[in-house]
Amino acid sequence: MDVYGFFVELNNYLGFKFVSSNVVAGECGGLYYELCFISYGSLKVHTEPRLFGDDPYRPHIEDAFGKLRFFKSYTLVNGNVELFVDVTDVTEDTAFSIMEDLTSFSETLSALGYKCTVPQSPVFEPQKSEPVTQYDQMSYQQTDDSGEDSRALPRRIPLGILGALLGTAGGLLIWVTLSLTNYMVAFVLGIVIAVMLPIILYEVFSREKTSAVEIGICLFVTLLLIFLGDRLIWTFDLLRWYEDITFSQAYYEVPYMVEDEIVEAFSYYEDYIIALAALILFYFIVIRNYLKGLPSVLATVKAMNRR
C-alpha cells in the first residue's frame, strides 16, 4: 500500500478527507485533526484543543497521551498539540491503530470539556521543540521551561492592558468626535468602534489568544468609556446650547439635567441604552466564541475584512 492508499484507508476509518496531496484532515470526537507525513516513515498529527477558549493544560494532554498505544511521542507548544509516530508499514492495520488512538485521545479530552474547531490556515511547519517520548513524560515536565503547567494567567497581560487603554482613549475620541455631528448614525458608528477597539488593541499588543482575563479587563474599561464618553457628549451639547457656562460647569451639570428639566428623561437615557446594547451584543459574541474555542477577536475581524 502506498501513502495515498494509506490515507484513503485512514479517511475511510475516520471520515476525514484530503485537504492537499499530503494532508488529510477532519473531526474525530469533537476535535479537529490534520495528519501529514513530515518525512519518510514519520507521521505527525496536529490539533488545537481549547478548554473553554483557553490553551490546554499539560496534565490533561499527558493523561490523554498516556492512554495511547500506537503514538510514541508528542509536543505541546503555544496551545498546539502534535502527536508523532513512526509508520514504516503503511497498512490497513496501521490505519486502524491510528483511528483507535485518535478516538481515545478525543474521548479523554472531550470528557474534560475540550473542543477544537477548524484552524484558519494549515499549520504543518516543523516545530523547533523535540518530541517527548511516552516514557519520558515526567522528566519532560520537570525540565520544560515554557511554564504552561503552572501558568494560570496569560504572560503578556501588562502589554495587553496598555493596548486596551490606548484602545479606550482612541475609541473615546472617535465616539465623541462623531457624536458632535449630531447625527444618530454617526453616534451609533462611534459607539460600535469604541466598544471594539479596547479588546482588539489588547490582542494586538499582547499577541495572545482571547482569554477570560482579557475579556474581564476590556469589559471593565469599555464600561468606563461609555459612562465618560456619554457625559462628555452631553457636556459639549450644553456648551453649544448655553454660551454663558464654562466646560467644568457643563460637565458637572450633566447628571442633573433631567432633574433641572433641561432634557427629558428618555432623551438622556437613550444614549446609555444604545451604548449598552452595543456592548452587550458585542461581548455576547466574544464570550460565545471564547467558550467554543473559536478564533480570537482579532482573527475574526481580519477574516471579516478579507470577505
Side-chain angles (χ1 to χ4, degrees), residues 48 50 117-121 196 199-204 206-210 214 282 285-286 289 293-307:
E48 300 179 21
R50 294 290 178 266
T117 57
V118 180
Q120 294 293 303
S121 58
M196 295 175 62
I199 198 166
I200 290 176
L201 289 190
Y202 185 106
E203 292 186 356
V204 169
S206 68
R207 291 183 293 178
E208 291 187 332
K209 298 179 178 67
T210 305
E214 170 193 338
F282 178 71
I285 297 173
V286 169
N289 289 353
L294 295 177
S296 65
V297 175
L298 183 59
T300 303
V301 172
K302 288 181 178 179
M304 292 172 61
N305 290 335
R306 286 196 294 268
R307 294 172 188 171

Side-chain angles (χ1 to χ4, degrees), residues 10-291:
L10 198 58
N11 288 344
N12 290 336
Y13 280 127
L14 292 168
F16 287 5
K17 61 181 180 180
F18 283 94
V19 294
S20 72
S21 60
N22 189 40
V23 180
V24 297
E27 183 178 332
C28 176
L31 299 184
Y32 184 83
Y33 295 95
E34 292 180 342
L35 293 78
C36 176
F37 278 98
I38 55 176
S39 63
Y40 177 75
S42 181
L43 180 70
K44 179 169 72 171
V45 178
H46 175 273
T47 186
E48 300 179 21
R50 294 290 178 266
L51 183 61
F52 303 115
D54 285 334
D55 288 349
Y57 289 92
R58 190 174 300 281
H60 294 165
I61 302 302
E62 287 183 351
D63 179 54
F65 177 73
K67 298 177 182 179
L68 306 186
R69 294 183 295 177
F70 194 66
F71 286 91
K72 301 302 181 184
S73 60
Y74 81 98
T75 61
L76 173 56
V77 180
N78 296 327
N80 298 281
V81 177
E82 290 175 346
L83 307 173
F84 299 87
V85 64
D86 292 330
V87 181
T88 54
D89 297 323
V90 283
T91 63
E92 183 178 347
D93 289 341
T94 300
F96 184 78
S97 296
I98 291 175
M99 181 273 294
E100 284 189 319
D101 271 6
L102 292 186
T103 301
S104 171
F105 194 78
S106 297
E107 288 177 350
T108 302
L109 293 183
S110 295
L112 296 172
Y114 281 89
K115 295 181 180 179
C116 178
T117 57
V118 180
Q120 294 293 303
S121 58
V123 287
F124 271 113
E125 291 82 20
Q127 294 288 340
K128 295 181 180 179
S129 57
E130 293 296 327
V132 52
T133 66
Q134 188 167 359
Y135 307 103
D136 293 333
Q137 290 179 24
M138 294 307 295
S139 61
Y140 180 84
Q141 184 174 357
Q142 293 170 358
T143 58
D144 175 43
D145 59 359
S146 66
E148 290 198 39
D149 283 358
S150 58
R151 178 166 60 90
L153 297 175
R155 289 172 291 184
R156 300 171 64 88
I157 289 179
L159 286 175
I161 292 175
L162 175 61
L165 292 176
L166 291 176
T168 301
L172 179 65
L173 179 62
I174 292 172
W175 184 31
V176 172
T177 301
L178 289 177
S179 297
L180 292 178
T181 64
N182 210 28
Y183 288 104
M184 180 56 71
V185 173
F187 177 89
V188 173
L189 176 61
I191 188 58
V192 169
I193 295 173
V195 165
M196 295 175 62
L197 268 184
I199 198 166
I200 290 176
L201 289 190
Y202 185 106
E203 292 186 356
V204 169
F205 277 68
S206 68
R207 291 183 293 178
E208 291 187 332
K209 298 179 178 67
T210 305
S211 66
V213 173
E214 170 193 338
I215 293 174
I217 292 172
C218 294
L219 183 58
F220 174 74
V221 297
T222 306
L223 280 171
L224 294 181
L225 181 157
I226 288 175
F227 288 107
L228 177 59
D230 191 70
R231 187 160 181 175
L232 287 174
I233 291 169
W234 278 114
T235 298
F236 286 115
D237 283 341
L238 289 175
L239 289 173
R240 190 170 64 249
W241 296 342
Y242 303 98
E243 298 180 354
D244 57 342
I245 61 173
T246 64
F247 179 87
S248 62
Q249 288 175 326
Y251 182 82
Y252 288 110
E253 173 61 24
V254 170
Y256 306 102
M257 289 195 306
V258 175
E259 180 181 337
D260 294 341
E261 298 183 349
I262 297 176
V263 296
E264 295 180 353
F266 178 77
S267 298
Y268 180 75
Y269 292 110
E270 181 183 22
D271 292 355
Y272 285 117
I273 294 172
I274 295 173
L276 291 176
L279 178 72
I280 292 170
L281 177 61
F282 178 71
Y283 274 88
F284 170 78
I285 297 173
V286 169
I287 294 172
R288 183 196 62 183
N289 289 353
Y290 163 73
L291 293 176

